[in-house]
Amino acid sequence: MSRSAQYLATLLLVLAGGGTADSAPDSQSVVACETLVGLRVLMGDGAPDHASAISRLPSHPACRLVSRDRVGVAEHRAMVGGAPFECLVIRDETRCAWVLP
């Protein structure tokens, strides 16, 4: 990942309340989207790894970083192309969020 992408990922994590600037975004947060379609579009824009998804978040307003400690159990599940996806309960929110596998 380029230095600017690392900076952006860290900045997004701090703004999302997921930790300090020294935190590693991939261990402290998850990428979550309002809809499964939104998550699939985010994944389709590039490699489906966590770091590249974080770098593309600014162009996907329905997706965001969520602190890992706020993520709970699966409320809905779906299989798309043989890959499992889950809509996980997010503490203090009324709707679940589709999380990057």
Side-chain angles (χ1 to χ4, degrees), residues 8-60:
L8 176 62
T10 302
L11 179 62
L12 287 170
L13 177 65
V14 170
L15 292 175
T20 65
D22 294 328
S23 299
D26 57 333
S27 65
Q28 300 296 323
S29 61
V30 296
V31 174
C33 298
E34 293 175 10
T35 66
L36 180 54
V37 171
L39 179 61
R40 295 286 295 157
V41 169
L42 175 68
M43 291 173 67
D45 279 354
D49 66 85
H50 193 83
S52 64
I54 289 172
S55 69
R56 292 188 311 277
L57 282 175
S59 63
H60 295 272

Side-chain angles (χ1 to χ4, degrees), residues 47-98:
D49 66 85
H50 193 83
S52 64
I54 289 172
S55 69
R56 292 188 311 277
L57 282 175
S59 63
H60 295 272
C63 298
R64 66 193 190 284
L65 288 176
V66 175
S67 177
R68 190 173 297 280
D69 64 352
R70 294 184 56 220
V71 176
V73 299
E75 188 172 289
H76 303 288
R77 290 188 171 95
M79 291 289 287
V80 178
F85 291 90
E86 295 181 322
C87 192
L88 303 177
V89 172
I90 307 295
R91 187 177 64 230
D92 301 324
E93 294 187 18
T94 58
R95 296 179 58 182
C96 64
W98 291 93

